[in-house]
Amino acid sequence: MPDTPSAPVLLGNRPGSFPHSVLAERHPAIIRQVREAFPYEPAQHRALDELLANCTEGEIEPLPADAHDRDRWESWGMRAYAGRSWFDVPWLWAESWFYRRLLQAVGYFGPGPWQGIDPFHPFKLAELDSAETDEELAALDDLAGRPAAEQEQALLHGSLWGNRADLGFRLSAQGARDADAAPGLVADDSDLLWSLLDTAGLSPGTLCLVADNAGRELVPDLLLGAHLLASGRIGQAVLHVKPYPYYVSDATTADVVDALRRLTAAGGAAAAYGRQLWSALADGRLTLRAHPFSSAPLPYADMPGDLRAEFASATLTLLKGDLNYRRLVGDRLWAPTTPFPDVTAYFPGPVAALRTLKSDVITGLDSRVEADLVAAEDQRWRTSGTHALIQVSTPG
């Protein structure tokens, strides 16, 4: 990955910037929401109060000596950043550190009665059980009667747009209007993505799908995976989830189970997809992975050897969401026209990014597209969540 002063690592120390607002405003709000969502005990309340003060005004403090993952976090930079302001270390690192410390504050890692209790579970379930999810799953019944090519495109865009499924399942435009001065879909390598999954005359390969959010955003990811398995485009799917709750809504194994139960209980085409996925897990065509590096505060360029080997052997690795994109290209303020293949050349196999834009990091834009976006929205297009991209890179 290029390392250049012209693409500085994002920090949170510039007031008014998006990273600064996350550290100074979003994280305190998350602490308050978590505190109110559970009947936590006095010790947890004190720990949450201490975290609130520390993350906004204090310095990074090392994990306790008996923390189960202290050695891992030392290798991930804890020693180097200890004693520094949260705002003066890489934004990606500070965000990841926040969620690790939040889990410690609520007793997630135990021992104790709150061990393993996901502090974000109520928020995930509320979204999964919403009326909007009912509407999205009901739309699958209509989709089942469409031509195969339209089904595939709709499911791909459903996964791309996540919980903006009113756009994701729209078969006409899928969230992008070509006539718009600032199109919703700012880069589209979907033809190359499908060509990599075209198994005509070949033995179906393996898709590594690196999930992003749980709830209504995980469901369309699962639907896409089920379709690819059923259609024979892939022979096996490996779904990478987080090993513990992370970034509020990131998917864990428990969230996958919740999503599958939601599908199978929905009836109609949704239930058929749910049963397909349930069977695929049982017979090994779908497997789950919760690699520790999935919650690392580092870019994928620093991935360990076993994960590199797994991605190298896949027909395609599909990375979902904004955080995975930041980790894929490096959490830097790239010039938007920096070629996507250049910053992902280190990746050991074919890689695709499906991402709704929710942070400043962006690569691979056509210069005219960038100019139209800036003219229409200044720099708000980078973080508004109203634009998305499909980008693909292949080795060599």
Side-chain angles (χ1 to χ4, degrees), residues 278-325:
W278 202 283
S279 296
L281 277 167
D283 64 27
R285 288 176 296 127
L286 172 61
T287 57
L288 301 181
R289 285 273 273 148
H291 196 286
F293 192 77
S294 293
S295 295
L298 304 172
Y300 280 107
D302 296 334
M303 75 181 87
D306 62 331
L307 194 57
R308 177 174 290 274
E310 183 172 337
F311 290 154
S313 65
T315 304
L316 177 67
T317 297
L318 181 57
L319 297 173
K320 275 297 310 295
D322 197 75
L323 175 60
N324 279 322
Y325 188 87

Side-chain angles (χ1 to χ4, degrees), residues 30 33-34 37-38 40 102-103 106 108 114 116-129 214-216 218 244-259 261:
I30 290 170
Q33 291 166 358
V34 166
F38 284 92
Y40 286 130
L102 179 61
L103 292 181
V106 298
Y108 179 86
W114 293 91
I117 302 298
D118 182 350
F120 311 123
H121 196 233
F123 314 123
K124 296 174 180 177
L125 278 187
E127 183 181 276
L128 193 60
D129 293 339
R216 288 173 62 204
L218 179 60
Y244 51 76
Y246 193 62
Y247 277 71
V248 180
S249 56
D250 281 24
T252 65
T253 299
D255 299 319
V256 174
V257 175
D258 284 342
R261 287 176 173 159

Side-chain angles (χ1 to χ4, degrees), residues 21 115 129 186 195 224 233 256 325 335:
S21 71
Q115 185 175 15
D129 293 339
V186 299
S195 72
L224 177 62
R233 279 192 177 271
V256 174
Y325 188 87

Side-chain angles (χ1 to χ4, degrees), residues 200-271:
L202 302 173
S203 176
T206 297
L207 172 71
C208 284
L209 176 55
V210 183
D212 184 33
N213 292 328
R216 288 173 62 204
E217 297 195 35
L218 179 60
V219 167
D221 297 344
L222 292 171
L223 296 175
L224 177 62
H227 173 79
L228 295 176
L229 285 168
S231 66
R233 279 192 177 271
I234 58 173
Q236 184 175 21
V238 181
L239 181 63
H240 285 253
V241 296
K242 299 300 190 294
Y244 51 76
Y246 193 62
Y247 277 71
V248 180
S249 56
D250 281 24
T252 65
T253 299
D255 299 319
V256 174
V257 175
D258 284 342
L260 291 179
R261 287 176 173 159
R262 183 72 166 89
L263 283 170
T264 55

Side-chain angles (χ1 to χ4, degrees), residues 33-334:
Q33 291 166 358
V34 166
R35 181 178 180 135
E36 294 170 0
F38 284 92
Y40 286 130
E41 300 171 31
Q44 291 157 307
H45 286 163
R46 287 193 296 272
L48 289 170
D49 290 341
E50 290 170 2
L51 176 60
L52 177 60
N54 181 250
C55 74
T56 54
E57 301 175 3
E59 299 175 342
I60 291 168
E61 301 172 355
L63 292 174
D66 60 351
H68 74 283
D69 55 351
R70 182 183 170 102
D71 290 346
R72 182 177 298 147
W73 275 93
E74 285 184 346
S75 71
W76 288 346
M78 184 178 70
R79 282 185 175 177
Y81 298 138
R84 296 172 63 178
S85 166
W86 292 58
F87 295 83
D88 292 334
V89 303
W91 179 43
L92 175 64
W93 200 96
E95 279 195 287
S96 299
W97 182 247
F98 170 78
Y99 290 101
R100 172 59 184 85
R101 296 308 298 249
L102 179 61
L103 292 181
Q104 178 181 321
V106 298
Y108 179 86
F109 294 112
W114 293 91
Q115 185 175 15
I117 302 298
D118 182 350
F120 311 123
H121 196 233
F123 314 123
K124 296 174 180 177
L125 278 187
E127 183 181 276
L128 193 60
D129 293 339
S130 66
E132 290 83 0
T133 302
D134 289 333
E135 296 172 5
E136 292 156 12
L137 296 182
L140 293 170
D141 293 328
D142 174 66
L143 188 63
R146 301 294 184 116
E150 289 189 15
Q151 290 187 41
E152 286 190 334
Q153 196 72 344
L155 290 170
L156 177 66
H157 282 266
S159 179
L160 170 65
W161 287 100
N163 65 6
R164 296 191 63 206
D166 59 319
L167 296 173
F169 286 113
R170 187 188 303 163
L171 300 180
S172 59
Q174 292 92 23
R177 295 189 298 255
D178 291 341
D180 283 356
L185 194 57
V186 299
D188 185 5
D189 292 339
S190 54
D191 288 344
L192 178 54
L193 185 153
W194 291 123
S195 72
L196 290 170
L197 296 174
D198 188 354
T199 59
L202 302 173
S203 176
T206 297
L207 172 71
C208 284
L209 176 55
V210 183
D212 184 33
N213 292 328
R216 288 173 62 204
E217 297 195 35
L218 179 60
V219 167
D221 297 344
L222 292 171
L223 296 175
L224 177 62
H227 173 79
L228 295 176
L229 285 168
S231 66
R233 279 192 177 271
I234 58 173
Q236 184 175 21
V238 181
L239 181 63
H240 285 253
V241 296
K242 299 300 190 294
Y244 51 76
Y246 193 62
Y247 277 71
V248 180
S249 56
D250 281 24
T252 65
T253 299
D255 299 319
V256 174
V257 175
D258 284 342
L260 291 179
R261 287 176 173 159
R262 183 72 166 89
L263 283 170
T264 55
Y273 276 112
R275 289 190 295 269
Q276 291 171 21
L277 290 161
W278 202 283
S279 296
L281 277 167
D283 64 27
R285 288 176 296 127
L286 172 61
T287 57
L288 301 181
R289 285 273 273 148
H291 196 286
F293 192 77
S294 293
S295 295
L298 304 172
Y300 280 107
D302 296 334
M303 75 181 87
D306 62 331
L307 194 57
R308 177 174 290 274
E310 183 172 337
F311 290 154
S313 65
T315 304
L316 177 67
T317 297
L318 181 57
L319 297 173
K320 275 297 310 295
D322 197 75
L323 175 60
N324 279 322
Y325 188 87
R326 290 165 56 193
R327 297 184 68 195
L328 175 64
V329 305
D331 203 32
R332 295 173 175 272
L333 195 60
W334 298 104

